[in-house]
Each structure stands twice: as structure tokens, then as C-alpha cells.
Amino acid sequence: MVSMDVNRRTVLRAAVAGGAGVGLAATGLGDPARAERPTDPDGPARGPRIAILLFDGIAPIDAIGPYEVLSRIPGASVVTVGKRTGPVRTDNGVLTLGVDRTLSQVRRADVLLVPGGNVRGVQADPDTIRWVQRIHRHTTWTVSVCTGALILGTAGLLRGLRATTYWSLRDQLAQFGATFVPGRYVEAGRIMTAAGMSAGIDMSLHLAAKIAGERIAQALQLVVEYDPDPPFDTGSPEKAGPELTRLALELLGQPAPR
């Protein structure tokens, strides 16, 4: 019996055959002769080096949704980064994700992905904030999902930019000098911010098109079978209305607006 992972790789190779080299070459990310990329000291890179910040309190879909897309870009390599190696607990305390490298071990990346969740601890940690600032200096793309935008804001990266974040915390962007813009994701120069949770998949497909071309991004959407058809149309407070918005805030443990 052929494994599911082999089937997925076969589909991806068939779907993007002949297009990968063109898409990556257009961005410069597919050139193994590029400058040092210490996110993975084990060898030269064939595609984009992607660093994903992990921390206690992370919302898992913020990292895993984009990972499922970006890790499948031909030649891509992914490293998870945190204060210390080993497991971190997700925001509900049930799941764990694994950190591969410490902050000091990762000095550069082509793509920095900052997920959200309960980010107050990260915002209050000067080591992590300084690391985000250092990595951003050399990235091709710095991206956030959900409340990860608040981490970018704390690092001073959103000042003067348009941005988005989780729907219940949109007003917090102003304190970082950012202007909230509605939408699933917002591109502002080399920074992209995605709205809440599942919006990270939308952003990642857009980013994949930027890195490797639309043909590969379209194939990746098929690979992860991202064809949303939700049973309800309540995915934003504007659509859900005030009663469901209050209920959602209760489920989140957040105070309802007055």
C-alpha cells in the first residue's frame, strides 16, 4: 500500500513539473549560491528558508496552517525557533508543538512566520522581540497570523503600515502606529499580516505565489485540499452580528464591548 505522504508528494511533483525552477528563480530564493543561511547549518538551501517562531500559549492553527502550505514549496526548508528547544504548550494547554532551534541558533531566514495566540509573554520578553527585529533585517518576507501582528507591533515593525489581526483586537494595532485594514490578509511592503487563525492559510497561498509563482501556489491549494465551504456565514463580526459576537467573546474569555 502506498503511503499518503508518498501520494501527496507524487501529486505535487506532477502538478508543478516544469514550473518550480522558473518560479523560484524569479524570486532569487532558488539560487543555492545565495549568501549564508544559518537557519539550517547542515547544507546549502535549494529554496526559501522559513523560520517559524513557537512559544507557550501559541494558537496551533496559526503555525500549522501556514506550515502545511509553505513547507511544500519546492526546495523549502522549515525550522521552528523558540527560547528553548523542546515542547511548547498551545493556548488551551492541551497540545504541544516542538521547537527545533533556540533564538541564538537562527540568525537569518528568507521568511519569518510569527503566529499568534496568547502573545503577552512574548511581547514582554526582550530577547524574543530583539530576535524578531534582527531576523527581519534580512528577510525577504516577514509575516504574522492573528495576534502575531501584536508581536510585530511590539518589535516596531508595523509603524506607518496597514495591517490586520484577530477581529476582537483590531483596535490594538493603533498603539503600534499601524492602520487597521479589513481583509483576510494585508500586504505592506515585505510585511504581511493575516487576520485570525484560518486566514493564515489564505496568506500563505498568496505568499507561495510570490515566492514560487501562481501555478505552484494553485497546485499547493489542491495539495492541501483547501476548498472552504463552511456550513455558516458567521466568520467575521460584521457577518455574525452583535449577539453571536458577544457569545464568541464569552467563549474566548474576553469582556464584551460596552
Side-chain angles (χ1 to χ4, degrees):
M1 181 176 179
V2 180
S3 71
M4 180 63 72
D5 188 53
V6 171
N7 281 337
R8 286 175 175 168
R9 289 199 301 268
T10 301
V11 169
L12 178 57
R13 283 197 298 267
V16 303
V22 174
L24 292 173
T27 64
L29 293 177
D31 181 4
R34 290 189 74 206
E36 176 195 17
R37 307 191 194 200
T39 51
D40 183 359
D42 298 329
R46 296 182 295 112
R49 297 281 179 101
I50 301 163
I52 302 177
L53 178 66
L54 299 185
F55 50 88
D56 283 314
I58 190 173
I61 191 174
D62 291 4
I64 297 303
Y67 165 81
E68 284 289 349
V69 174
L70 299 177
S71 67
R72 299 175 191 278
I73 293 174
S77 61
V78 180
V79 62
T80 54
V81 191
K83 287 278 285 184
R84 60 192 63 83
T85 59
V88 294
R89 284 281 178 181
T90 57
D91 51 357
N92 62 6
V94 175
L95 298 176
T96 59
L97 299 177
V99 174
D100 294 329
R101 304 279 171 84
T102 63
L103 302 176
S104 62
Q105 292 176 309
V106 178
R107 302 189 301 278
R108 287 178 183 259
D110 297 307
V111 178
L112 169 61
L113 170 65
V114 180
N118 184 349
V119 300
R120 289 188 295 271
V122 179
Q123 290 179 282
D125 177 34
D127 292 336
T128 302
I129 296 302
R130 282 194 295 265
W131 178 82
V132 169
Q133 293 168 332
R134 287 196 303 270
I135 294 296
H136 173 68
R137 291 177 194 145
H138 303 286
T139 59
T140 303
W141 299 100
T142 297
V143 304
S144 68
V145 181
C146 196
T147 52
L150 305 184
I151 297 175
L152 297 188
T154 302
L157 304 185
L158 298 184
R159 187 166 300 280
L161 300 183
R162 303 182 312 146
T164 190
T165 188
Y166 193 65
W167 61 268
S168 68
L169 299 172
R170 295 169 177 174
D171 59 347
Q172 292 197 21
L173 290 174
Q175 67 181 294
F176 304 114
T179 300
F180 167 73
V181 177
R184 294 287 282 174
Y185 56 87
V186 176
E187 181 179 341
R190 61 191 180 95
I191 291 180
M192 290 188 199
T193 53
M197 299 186 175
S198 63
I201 300 175
D202 299 59
M203 180 191 69
S204 297
L205 288 167
H206 177 69
L207 180 57
K210 291 282 187 179
I211 292 173
E214 286 191 3
R215 185 165 179 255
I216 288 179
Q218 290 166 352
L220 289 172
Q221 182 172 350
L222 177 59
V223 168
V224 300
E225 200 170 347
Y226 184 57
D227 189 22
D229 185 19
F232 310 109
D233 190 22
T234 57
S236 71
E238 292 78 14
K239 294 177 179 179
E243 182 180 349
L244 283 176
T245 297
R246 284 192 294 270
L247 176 58
L249 289 170
E250 289 178 14
L251 294 174
L252 288 168
Q254 295 183 13
R258 295 179 180 178

